[in-house]
Amino acid sequence: MSDIKPGDLVTLKGLNNQKEKPIGIVKRSIGNKTFEILWINEGLATRFALVNTAKSHRLEVISEADQQLF
């Protein structure tokens, strides 16, 4: 998929064989390819010791947000 944008649903790369994986929503870009993430399933985020920031090379986009301009 394309670049990561605010509103996209993301997970960690390399977890395709896991039954449960953390899913988050990108809140905003906070630097050079670093994003602030709101983890939806906090229990799994805690299990994977995730914080609210992540670099783009560690993230995989599950679903892109609709970026319509009005």
Side-chain angles (χ1 to χ4, degrees):
M1 291 194 172
S2 63
D3 294 331
I4 299 172
K5 299 176 289 303
D8 289 351
L9 284 177
V10 295
T11 189
L12 297 177
K13 280 187 180 176
L15 295 179
N16 292 336
N17 295 332
Q18 298 288 325
K19 287 184 181 181
E20 297 178 322
K21 53 186 171 181
I23 296 173
I25 300 172
V26 177
K27 288 173 66 174
R28 65 185 175 119
S29 176
I30 57 172
N32 188 17
K33 297 187 178 186
T34 304
F35 298 94
E36 185 176 354
I37 310 292
L38 172 66
W39 295 105
I40 297 171
N41 42 5
E42 284 190 31
L44 287 174
T46 303
R47 184 185 313 165
F48 284 91
L50 299 175
V51 293
N52 63 348
T53 59
K55 297 264 186 194
S56 63
H57 72 275
R58 305 184 110 230
L59 299 173
E60 177 180 0
V61 176
I62 297 173
S63 178
E64 292 182 354
D66 188 15
Q67 300 288 327
Q68 291 183 353
L69 297 176
F70 294 98

